[in-house]
Amino acid sequence: MSAEPVAAPAGPLILAEDLWRTYVMGAEEIHALRGVSFAIQPNEYVAIMGPSGSGKSTLMNLIGCLDTPSKGDYVLRGKNVSKMNDDELAEVRNREIGFVFQTFNLLPRASALQNVELPLVYAGIPKEERVARAKRSLEMVDLAARMSHKPNELSGGQRQRVAIARALVMGPSILLADEPTGNLDTTTGNEIMGLFERLQREGNTIILVTHERDIAEHAHRIIFIRDGKIESDERR
Amino acid sequence: MPFSEAVRLALTSLRSSKLRSFLTVLGILIGVSSVIAVVAIIDGLDSYIASRVLELGSKSFSVQKMPDIITSANQWIEMQRRKDVTMDDVEAVRRGCDLCTEVGAMVATSRDVKYGRVRQNDVRIMGVSENFSRIGSIRDLIAGRQLIGEDVENARNSVVIGADLMDAFFGTMEPIGREITIDSRSFRVVGVAERKGSIFGESQDNFVWMPITLFRKYYGSRRSIVIQVEARSMNVFEEAQDQARVVMRVRRHLDYAEPDDFNIETGESILDLWKSATQGIYAATLLVTAISLVVGGVVVMNIMLVSVTERTAEIGVRKALGAKRRDILRQFLVEAVILAGFGGVLGVLGAMAFAAGLSSLLGGMMATEFVAPVRLWAVALAVAVSSAVGLVAGLYPASRAAALDPVAALRAE
């Protein structure tokens, strides 16, 4: 795999076919996903919605290549990741997925710049280029002035913007955000949602996982999950 | 992730929990410094003994009834049955050994010595031939004169005292001509010998030399004598011993097959005995000390396990961002090795301080030079071993961290 993002092949960015995810709890089998199929095109803005326990977190883990399906195929940019091992998945996550978490998940002891550098470190990119790219990424979220600050010296909204800069720094195929406004007040939340809209306009593919209807409504398409199945898939 | 990055990361993380890192390092530090210090002490003791023993005289030897060191009660009983060494033997060796420049005689006992109302306990009372001070390491005098031939021939009442007695009895007073009392007999001091210090707290200056004839008059002539011999040169040292041995065997009418019924002792033989006696002790000491390094390793492993548990969420984030197993493994291993290696380096410094302190302390106690050298190989070994300890101790925690499931790790908060 090369470090540079290659032009997306024709066809969908994500093709999920009959995804099942089954957890074994003692003697019991719990089906968190029961045959989910969908396709996502490049530059889409999709929200995945569902109440807690619906299986939306499980689906997010599969989309984010943190986990593999028990059954079914997950094809990301033409590559079937369903049967990949841990290290192959790590590489796919590094290059294709930009995670944005509800709790930001920044490293507390590292500066904003160092946090943004982290995916580049694991991609094996040399220090100078790393710093340059991380700075550019921070500029994109208007935080270039705060790059030497530690997370605890930043506001919640600023922290989430650092996390978004980190998610963008590798030029991923998907920006995958899990309740990105869950720990923010409404005003800051709206700012972040505005940032996502801008990023989508600039060509990024965004998948938003949330249980809040008004957050989901920022997206152009809402996939509603209930009991491990897709209940509705509406474009707006 | 490149190695330099892992090192930088490890340093950051160690700096961020300074107290814990220090306590972890302490375990290794103690282990390493005790290993190095023990090696240094052993080394120092060996060279100290070697120098002291060789000081006894490198080309002198003694012929005596019993060996210097007896290892069992049975041996002692057996040795007791041997014939005493007599003045006639001394004379025979003097005549029969032409490679010997000096053949002297010495016989000793232990008594309290008094001067006025001052008493010095357990003084070594030695009856010696006039050439005694010229055999082995030379003892010069700081006052008065040596015993001379006429003293011995006429059993004259004149003694040379050691520096301890000088200190105890006379201080800054003139000692020559004073009368000291041993077993209510008076002896006239004619000389004071120079100070030699002590070996293992045993003073070498607590003695009285008197003519051997006088000694035999007062303390009996049936004591076994130690023949003191100085060989002509180092080259003929062995041959001189053989000559003395032949003389003695002829006098004892020993068959070809029979073993000697006397002992010939040299500085070398004492040294050999010292080495063989202490080797086992050294090995055991070193082993016991090395256990402290294992304890240090356990501390490192413990701390690393805590660290992995505490940083589960961080590991999850790193994995989500693309860290592979080996990245996480390396991160924690490097951290453990740095901890332990740092402990090793500090341990070396600690050992140097300890060795220096010990040198001056023991040196003071023994009134002589005692050097506990910190050997380069011991330092290299200690740092290598401590790093290896870190590696081994870090392996399990690091592989646990590397094997964490990213989904589960991300959930940990």
Side-chain angles (χ1 to χ4, degrees):
Chain A
M1 248 181 257
S2 81
E4 293 304 311
V6 290
L13 182 63
I14 290 176
L15 188 62
E17 275 184 289
D18 192 28
L19 291 183
W20 287 71
R21 184 67 175 93
T22 307
Y23 298 101
V24 180
M25 300 281 222
E28 221 180 332
E29 283 196 337
I30 295 165
H31 300 287
L33 289 180
R34 307 159 175 265
V36 172
S37 302
F38 59 92
I40 293 176
Q41 304 301 324
N43 202 21
E44 271 199 85
Y45 189 172
V46 185
I48 295 175
M49 261 198 81
S52 53
S54 60
K56 69 175 191 304
S57 292
T58 306
L59 182 59
M60 187 205 73
N61 290 340
L62 292 184
I63 294 173
C65 299
L66 290 166
D67 198 6
T68 50
S70 313
K71 208 180 106 187
D73 285 317
Y74 174 47
V75 181
L76 177 62
R77 284 224 311 183
K79 276 187 306 255
N80 192 338
V81 300
S82 319
K83 302 287 182 286
M84 283 186 174
N85 68 29
D86 285 358
D87 282 353
E88 289 166 332
L89 285 173
E91 202 157 323
V92 172
R93 287 196 294 270
N94 184 240
R95 309 208 182 277
E96 309 289 353
I97 316 283
F99 286 99
V100 178
F101 302 98
Q102 176 175 0
T103 51
F104 322 134
N105 278 342
L106 299 175
L107 301 188
R109 294 185 296 264
S111 68
L113 187 71
Q114 285 168 333
N115 266 293
V116 177
E117 269 184 67
L118 206 53
L120 302 167
V121 169
Y122 291 120
I125 287 165
K127 179 84 184 165
E128 270 175 48
E129 188 187 339
R130 239 160 47 202
V131 172
R133 282 172 70 171
K135 276 184 186 165
R136 240 179 292 145
S137 205
L138 278 168
E139 278 162 18
M140 282 206 288
V141 298
D142 301 321
L143 268 183
R146 294 263 191 280
M147 66 188 182
S148 52
H149 289 229
K150 298 266 167 70
N152 61 6
E153 297 159 349
L154 299 170
S155 71
Q158 286 171 332
R159 285 184 220 183
Q160 194 59 301
R161 280 193 280 156
V162 172
I164 292 169
R166 182 178 67 184
L168 290 171
V169 75
M170 286 291 291
S173 308
I174 308 166
L175 209 52
L176 181 58
D178 180 17
E179 306 277 11
T181 59
N183 274 24
L184 301 175
D185 60 62
T186 318
T187 323
T188 322
N190 285 337
E191 271 173 40
I192 294 295
M193 293 319 292
L195 179 57
F196 278 127
E197 271 161 43
R198 198 188 90 204
L199 292 170
Q200 193 266 331
R201 279 199 303 278
E202 285 167 7
N204 291 286
T205 310
I206 296 170
I207 300 177
L208 192 64
V209 179
T210 183
H211 67 277
E212 287 180 75
R213 169 59 67 178
D214 46 342
I215 294 297
E217 275 169 358
H218 285 87
H220 307 152
R221 174 184 171 191
I222 299 176
I223 298 177
F224 199 89
I225 307 279
R226 191 187 286 282
D227 298 333
K229 288 182 173 166
I230 293 182
E231 194 179 70
S232 66
D233 184 348
E234 42 190 83
R235 279 164 208 279
R236 296 142 35 83
Chain B
M1 180 166 59
F3 186 71
S4 59
E5 202 62 39
V7 171
R8 196 186 56 77
L9 205 63
L11 289 177
T12 313
S13 125
L14 293 180
R15 258 202 305 271
S16 67
S17 46
K18 287 193 189 70
L19 180 63
R20 178 196 288 178
S21 302
F22 171 72
L23 290 176
T24 313
V25 159
L26 202 61
I28 298 280
L29 188 158
I30 291 169
V32 167
S33 25
S34 41
V35 168
I36 297 179
V38 162
V39 170
I41 292 167
I42 289 171
D43 233 17
L45 274 182
D46 267 352
S47 55
Y48 173 73
I49 293 297
S51 70
R52 289 328 297 263
V53 167
L54 290 179
E55 201 175 85
L56 296 177
S58 50
K59 56 187 170 66
S60 68
F61 62 92
S62 63
V63 180
Q64 53 200 61
K65 179 181 176 181
M66 300 207 282
D68 277 342
I69 296 155
I70 290 172
T71 51
S72 72
N74 283 345
Q75 193 193 5
W76 193 80
I77 292 165
E78 201 175 305
M79 297 293 132
Q80 281 293 326
R81 289 204 209 101
R82 285 176 164 184
K83 271 190 201 163
D84 286 342
V85 177
T86 64
M87 285 307 280
D88 291 341
D89 291 328
V90 179
E91 202 43 47
V93 171
R94 182 175 293 144
R95 277 197 310 268
C97 176
D98 57 8
L99 295 173
C100 306
T101 52
E102 298 279 358
V103 177
M106 190 272 285
V107 57
T109 185
S110 182
R111 288 288 188 278
D112 292 350
V113 179
K114 286 195 294 188
Y115 173 72
R117 288 156 77 178
V118 187
R119 173 190 290 266
Q120 178 82 348
N121 292 325
D122 299 322
V123 180
R124 203 162 140 81
I125 311 295
M126 300 160 87
V128 298
S129 53
E130 59 84 27
N131 58 1
F132 177 74
S133 65
R134 298 195 298 274
I135 300 172
S137 70
I138 310 294
R139 266 275 192 180
D140 284 328
L141 299 190
I142 51 175
R145 62 168 178 87
Q146 295 276 11
L147 297 176
I148 56 172
E150 279 160 49
D151 292 324
V152 178
E153 279 154 34
N154 304 325
R156 269 214 299 239
N157 182 339
S158 39
V159 298
V160 171
I161 60 172
D164 285 0
L165 276 72
M166 173 72 194
D167 293 346
F169 294 160
F170 306 121
T172 54
M173 276 193 321
E174 170 61 42
I176 307 303
R178 307 261 177 197
E179 302 268 330
I180 58 172
T181 310
I182 309 172
D183 293 329
S184 39
R185 295 187 192 95
S186 287
F187 296 86
R188 202 164 58 86
V189 176
V190 298
V192 180
E194 67 175 339
R195 190 184 299 278
K196 286 281 184 180
S198 55
I199 297 181
F200 296 127
E202 187 82 6
S203 174
Q204 304 296 296
D205 303 299
N206 194 28
F207 62 82
V208 171
W209 293 341
M210 62 175 71
I212 188 165
T213 42
L214 190 70
F215 182 98
R216 284 159 66 88
K217 195 166 105 189
Y218 291 147
Y219 296 104
S221 51
R222 296 193 52 203
R223 287 165 184 269
S224 184
I225 287 165
V226 175
I227 309 177
Q228 305 272 0
V229 187
E230 181 85 3
R232 182 158 295 152
S233 73
M234 211 52 221
N235 295 335
V236 296
F237 188 45
E238 302 278 323
E239 283 168 73
Q241 287 176 49
D242 283 341
Q243 283 187 347
R245 179 174 285 115
V246 168
V247 169
M248 287 301 290
R249 289 182 65 92
V250 168
R251 286 183 58 79
R252 299 284 174 90
H253 306 293
L254 293 179
D255 251 10
Y256 175 71
E258 279 178 283
D260 292 348
D261 61 354
F262 54 90
N263 271 81
I264 294 185
E265 297 281 346
T266 65
E268 205 72 24
S269 60
I270 297 173
L271 207 59
D272 285 348
L273 199 89
W274 161 263
K275 284 202 168 138
S276 70
T278 50
Q279 229 151 35
I281 300 173
Y282 289 170
T285 312
L286 209 55
L287 192 75
V288 170
T289 323
I291 289 175
S292 60
L293 262 180
V294 175
V295 174
V298 171
V299 172
V300 170
M301 185 184 288
N302 199 359
I303 292 297
M304 290 310 295
L305 280 173
V306 171
S307 173
V308 167
T309 307
E310 273 186 0
R311 283 148 70 186
T312 302
E314 176 194 321
I315 295 163
V317 173
R318 287 178 182 279
K319 288 200 149 194
L321 298 181
K324 298 190 176 131
R325 275 167 182 264
R326 63 166 181 272
D327 294 323
I328 304 292
L329 189 75
R330 183 182 289 167
Q331 178 185 342
F332 283 92
L333 265 189
V334 166
E335 202 171 309
V337 170
I338 286 182
L339 264 181
F342 189 56
V345 171
L346 285 186
V348 169
L349 298 180
M352 281 172 168
F354 184 68
L358 194 81
S359 294
S360 65
L361 186 74
L362 283 185
M365 260 163 61
M366 296 171 178
T368 181
E369 190 85 347
F370 178 88
V371 183
V374 174
R375 298 283 179 206
L376 193 64
W377 66 263
V379 170
L381 189 74
V383 174
V385 165
S386 60
S387 301
V389 164
L391 195 68
V392 170
L395 208 55
Y396 174 64
S399 62
R400 267 211 356 196
L404 280 175
D405 170 33
V407 174
L410 275 172
R411 260 204 305 269
E413 260 313 320

